């Protein structure tokens, strides 16, 4: 039998809820402790136990893989996105499909994202950006108080202005309804030349952008990688790239080198993909020369359909180790790395 009740939730909103008894239920006590409420577990959002929900110490950096996939609509590998926590900041690099879900699973309030840094403008790197912006200004999901800051090379301003136009009605109706104040919805583009350089430098956290090559002919421009330095810790995120000199330059001796990779069972199957990405043998040469403390694969293009078959992680590592014998892991969504003065701790969900 359906029972309609009123539940006052932690966000200070009073919501009418309709509860239906089913196999997946959980009983808890509402603010009126005389009444037990039965809820579908699907809607019972428990506190995150992911290590990212606790800020790292002042001499540490935490890097969490939010999405490790490609344009393939995979439920295991969401779109490309990486969270870097350092100096009290939550910085996100690329905002692919599902990034908001992974941030929530990691225990990061969506209103507490201090900046999003874009490597380039392929859809799988930006199609979660509007979700991150808009869900973050809803009071129940973070209630951002300041600007939503987007950092990117030439094109960032046009992207942001387009989002403002596309979603103007969402803001208009929420403000008119009294749900939020308009100033909390502001989105700001911090655009810089495609040559890159230091694009963020606050409280000891330095973000440097550098050019990479997403294809052999320079058609995909701009295309960037990023390096983040803080308290002696360092991480490089390659962006989408074929082997390029700047990866060797900025990746030399870093703690963590997060690099894209593309590989198929048949290495001759999809030549146009190989022409735009780094295969594991090439990645092995990069890791061998840069010698990171830990190499990590993300943005993994590993099979795209039942007709174009990928390979197991074990084989991907074997093909890399033809040219590299150092530490290497194949990234998974929500895998997390704590960079300390003495070691790298890896969390595997």
């Amino acid at each position: 039998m359906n029972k309609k009740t009123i539940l006052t939730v932690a966000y200070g909103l009073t919501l009418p809820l309709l509860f239906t008894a089913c196999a997946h239920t959980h009983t808890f006590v509402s603010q009126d402790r005389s009444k037990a409420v039965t809820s579908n577990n699907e809607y019972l959002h428990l506190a995150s136990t992911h290590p990212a929900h606790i800020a790292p110490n002042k001499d540490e950096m935490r890097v969490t893989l939010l999405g490790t996939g490609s344009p393939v609509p995979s439920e295991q590998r969401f779109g490309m996105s990486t969270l870097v926590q350092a100096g009290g900041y939550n910085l996100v690099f690329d905002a692919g499909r599902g990034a908001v879900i992974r941030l929530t699973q990691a225990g990061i309030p969506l209103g507490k994202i201090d900046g999003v840094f874009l490597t380039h403008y392929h859809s799988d790197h930006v199609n979660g950006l509007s979700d991150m912006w808009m869900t973050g200004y809803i009071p129940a999901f973070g209630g951002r108080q300041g600007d939503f800051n987007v950092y990117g090379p030439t094109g960032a301003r046009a992207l942001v202005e387009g989002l403002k136009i596309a979603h103007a009605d969402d803001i208009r109706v929420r403000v008119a309804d009294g749900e939020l104040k308009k100033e909390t919805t502001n989105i700001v583009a911090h655009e810089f030349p495609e040559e890159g350089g230091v694009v963020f430098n606050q409280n000891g956290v330095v973000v440097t952008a550098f050019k990479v090559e997403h294809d052999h002919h320079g058609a995909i421009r701009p295309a960037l990688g990023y390096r983040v330095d803080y308290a002696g810790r360092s991480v490089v995120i390659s962006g989408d790239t074929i082997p390029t000199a700047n990866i060797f330059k900025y990746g030399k001796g870093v703690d963590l080198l997060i690099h894209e990779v593309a590989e198929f069972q048949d290495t001759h199957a999809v030549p146009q993909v190989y022409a735009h990405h780094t295969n594991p043998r090439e990645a092995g040469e990069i890791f061998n020369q840069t010698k990171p403390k830990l190499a990590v694969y993300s943005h993994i293009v590993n099979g795209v359909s039942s007709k174009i078959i990928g390979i197991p992680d074990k084989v991907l590592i074997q093909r890399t180790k033809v040219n590299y014998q150092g530490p290497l892991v194949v990234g998974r969504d929500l895998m997390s790395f704590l960079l300390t003065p003495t070691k790298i701790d890896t969390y595997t969900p």
Side-chain angles (χ1 to χ4, degrees), residues 18 25 28 34 51 55 78 135-136 139 145 176 188 235 249 259 295 310 319 331 335 342:
L18 187 65
T25 61
F28 62 99
S34 65
F78 283 4
T135 307
Q145 294 301 308
V188 177
V235 57
K249 175 182 176 180
H259 205 287
R319 294 185 181 182
M335 186 177 285
T342 59

Side-chain angles (χ1 to χ4, degrees), residues 63-69 76-78 80-82 256-261 287 294-302 313 316-317 328-337 346-349:
V63 180
T64 301
L65 308 180
L66 301 174
T68 59
Q76 284 82 34
R77 294 190 182 279
F78 283 4
M80 183 62 187
S81 190
T82 306
L256 202 64
L257 176 51
I258 300 174
H259 205 287
E260 67 115 91
V261 68
F287 300 150
L294 180 62
V296 179
Y297 278 140
S298 191
H299 194 283
I300 300 166
V301 186
N302 185 1
D313 290 355
L316 184 59
I317 290 175
L328 168 67
V329 297
V330 178
R332 290 280 169 183
D333 288 18
L334 292 176
M335 186 177 285
S336 191
F337 308 91
T346 301
Y347 169 83
T348 303

Side-chain angles (χ1 to χ4, degrees), residues 88-111:
Y89 294 111
N90 295 316
L91 306 179
V92 174
F93 293 81
D94 283 331
R97 180 190 298 116
V100 159
I101 296 172
R102 296 299 191 222
L103 282 165
T104 302
Q105 289 175 303
I108 307 299
L110 300 176

Side-chain angles (χ1 to χ4, degrees), residues 131-160:
D131 190 9
M132 198 177 298
W133 166 44
M134 293 189 292
T135 307
Y137 62 57
I138 297 174
F141 303 115
R144 184 183 306 106
Q145 294 301 308
D147 298 335
F148 183 68
N149 294 294
V150 178
Y151 297 80
T154 303
R157 190 174 295 113
L159 174 62
V160 164

Side-chain angles (χ1 to χ4, degrees), residues 211-233:
K211 288 179 65 174
V212 295
E213 299 174 53
H214 199 350
D215 68 297
H216 290 279
H217 306 292
I220 305 172
R221 295 177 58 186
L224 301 176
Y226 286 96
R227 174 169 171 148
V228 185
D229 290 275
Y230 172 73
R233 317 283 83 77

Side-chain angles (χ1 to χ4, degrees), residues 25 54 77 99 140 157 163 166 175 184 190 205 210 238 243 282 336:
T25 61
I54 299 174
R77 294 190 182 279
R157 190 174 295 113
L163 291 179
V175 171
T184 68
H190 302 268
V205 180
F210 56 88
S238 73
E282 293 170 328
S336 191

